[in-house]
Amino acid sequence: MDHRTFKTEINEQLARIAKAVANPHRLEIIDLLAQGERSVDALAQETAMSVANASQHLQALREARLITARKEGLRVYYRLADYTVYRLVQTLREIAQQQLAEVDRIVNTYLTQRASMEPVTLNELLTRLREPGLVILDVRPALEYSQGHIAGARSIPIDELESRLHELPQAQEIVAYCRGEYCVFADEAVEILTEHGYHVRRLQLGYPDWKLADLPTETE
Amino acid sequence: MDHRTFKTEINEQLARIAKAVANPHRLEIIDLLAQGERSVDALAQETAMSVANASQHLQALREARLITARKEGLRVYYRLADYTVYRLVQTLREIAQQQLAEVDRIVNTYLTQRASMEPVTLNELLTRLREPGLVILDVRPALEYSQGHIAGARSIPIDELESRLHELPQAQEIVAYCRGEYCVFADEAVEILTEHGYHVRRLQLGYPDWKLADLPTETE
DNA sequence: ATACTATTCAATTAATCAATTGAATATTTG
DNA sequence: CAAATATTCAATTGATTAATTGAATAGTAT
């Protein structure tokens, strides 16, 4: 029994997964794929990378079996190999938040309104899902909403919010959410809605966290 | 509001944590530190690295704020900066097991008896903690046992087990555990004890998983 | 058939990472 | 004090990673 070799080989497999996510672009790609399947050029655009570079990063994730692909015509669509792959991002996020002062500094620098907003926890929203006076507002792009969203949520993509305010009843409380803890769409929605006199709060996490917690979702 | 920059900076911090654990030696170091604080030369020995190399890897973990150090005389002792850092290893392990066929292949190659042994889950052991006929056997080195162990466990380090069999009542059921899912001490203990007619099963995970689940622990 | 398009592949270059080496630093002992 | 020791530091070397570039491949439309 060669323990040393066993240990080494096992830890090499664990490191293989860690290496695959040890790059900021690849983390962002996983985050986007957790919203729903995406083509290479869509991912490239969203992450401000060249198609060739995005493709290389996707091959790295694929080598580690974290994503899978299907081809349709000219396009290749990627998705998470298993939804639990998103747990890698979650755990990294939680540990980084806990251990790195830089995370707070970055959040406080860019999201200056967050300190004054009490977010809604997943659990709180779960208990209020059937509340008649509550609007759950998904401000991600409509495609993402249709691929999966919190049960009962309605969709107004952030870039349409200003022009579609009239669709939202001012008497109701709104919980806005988007892609995850570091997605800014919901922060922007809270700002806009607050300026227009709405009672609105941001959901603390995002759709992938909700889904991964096996809470009620819908697709369109 | 520069979303692109915010996204990039946040993901760089997440990647910083991932990079720190994206090395097999560093994963093993975290695993060992989860058993309790350790000096550099002890870590170097256990991981079959030079002291200089171990020290370099420790500096990498330290840069990512995953470990902390205290000095005592000539020696520097390292520990996890927070016990939840072990969650990185747990998550990587779970995703690797789920996504990489290589993990099963490696385990089946080196731990050939595992397929025929039904392990005890943490939950099952928790419900049986006060069972009078059950012996919980910690087969890690005695130092690790003293730094922290499952409440009510007794210690016989694996390298002393053959010579101390007489201390174990053959009429009782034994649950053996060690450092974690890929620690082989408990497998070896099961083999030895089974050969000698004991009724013994391995705990599925190890002490750090037990501790991280906030289940009852003791120190000596 | 040609032209266009989405993606991958492979090569190149620069940056980063890992192991080793030996010196430097700090502590302990006789 | 000198000698021994545990660890870190810094430099070197070789390996790996990331971005870019342009060619190759496969699919679609005319």
Side-chain angles (χ1 to χ4, degrees), chain A:
Chain A
M1 166 69 78
D2 188 358
H3 303 176
R4 194 70 259 150
T5 310
F6 173 65
K7 271 290 183 214
T8 299
E9 289 192 26
I10 281 288
N11 284 313
E12 269 165 2
Q13 295 303 313
L14 269 57
R16 180 174 162 199
I17 300 283
K19 277 184 174 91
V21 298
N23 173 277
H25 294 305
R26 294 203 284 280
L27 285 166
E28 195 175 358
I29 286 171
I30 293 175
D31 215 44
L32 290 171
L33 294 181
Q35 316 305 323
E37 155 182 286
R38 238 29 197 246
S39 67
V40 181
D41 68 344
L43 287 167
Q45 277 180 17
E46 187 78 45
T47 57
M49 284 194 276
S50 67
V51 168
N53 198 19
S55 177
Q56 299 274 56
H57 283 300
L58 287 162
Q59 304 318 308
L61 290 170
R62 205 172 182 183
E63 189 283 327
R65 305 286 182 266
L66 299 182
I67 62 175
T68 57
R70 70 176 178 91
K71 192 156 186 185
E72 190 177 307
L74 281 180
R75 286 194 150 76
V76 182
Y77 292 88
Y78 285 89
R79 68 175 56 198
L80 298 184
D82 188 282
Y83 208 77
T84 55
V85 164
Y86 186 70
R87 285 183 56 218
L88 291 168
V89 175
Q90 273 186 336
T91 304
L92 287 172
R93 191 180 70 208
E94 285 156 11
I95 301 295
Q97 277 176 353
Q98 184 178 277
Q99 301 303 119
L100 303 178
E102 283 88 342
V103 172
D104 279 345
R105 179 187 62 72
I106 292 163
V107 170
N108 292 339
T109 300
Y110 288 95
L111 305 178
T112 50
Q113 304 304 317
R114 269 205 183 176
S116 57
M117 301 192 285
E118 179 80 20
V120 177
T121 63
L122 297 194
N123 277 335
E124 185 184 335
L125 184 57
L126 180 62
T127 62
R128 300 177 65 188
L129 266 194
R130 287 192 168 70
E131 204 173 289
L134 187 71
V135 173
I136 308 171
L137 184 63
D138 186 325
V139 291
R140 297 174 298 157
L143 172 65
E144 291 172 22
Y145 176 85
S146 69
Q147 289 173 319
H149 55 266
I150 292 176
R154 52 176 312 182
S155 169
I156 306 186
I158 190 59
D159 53 5
E160 296 171 31
L161 184 56
E162 293 260 30
S163 57
R164 292 172 62 185
L165 282 179
H166 59 272
E167 297 178 29
L168 292 169
Q170 203 143 25
Q172 299 198 298
E173 184 180 355
I174 298 171
V175 174
Y177 75 92
C178 51
R179 291 178 178 151
E181 191 159 6
Y182 298 122
C183 162
V184 300
F185 296 154
D187 293 78
E188 285 171 14
V190 166
E191 196 169 331
I192 292 169
L193 291 168
T194 302
E195 280 169 5
H196 288 86
Y198 287 87
H199 181 209
V200 55
R201 287 159 75 201
R202 176 180 60 87
L203 186 64
Q204 184 181 21
L205 303 175
Y207 168 71
D209 305 286
W210 180 270
K211 183 181 163 79
L212 206 42
D214 281 319
L215 303 180
T217 62
E218 292 167 353
T219 53
E220 216 147 302

Side-chain angles (χ1 to χ4, degrees), chain B residues 39-41 52 55-56 59 74-76 78:
Chain B
S39 67
V40 181
D41 69 344
S55 177
Q56 300 273 57
Q59 303 318 308
L74 281 177
R75 285 193 152 74
V76 183
Y78 284 89

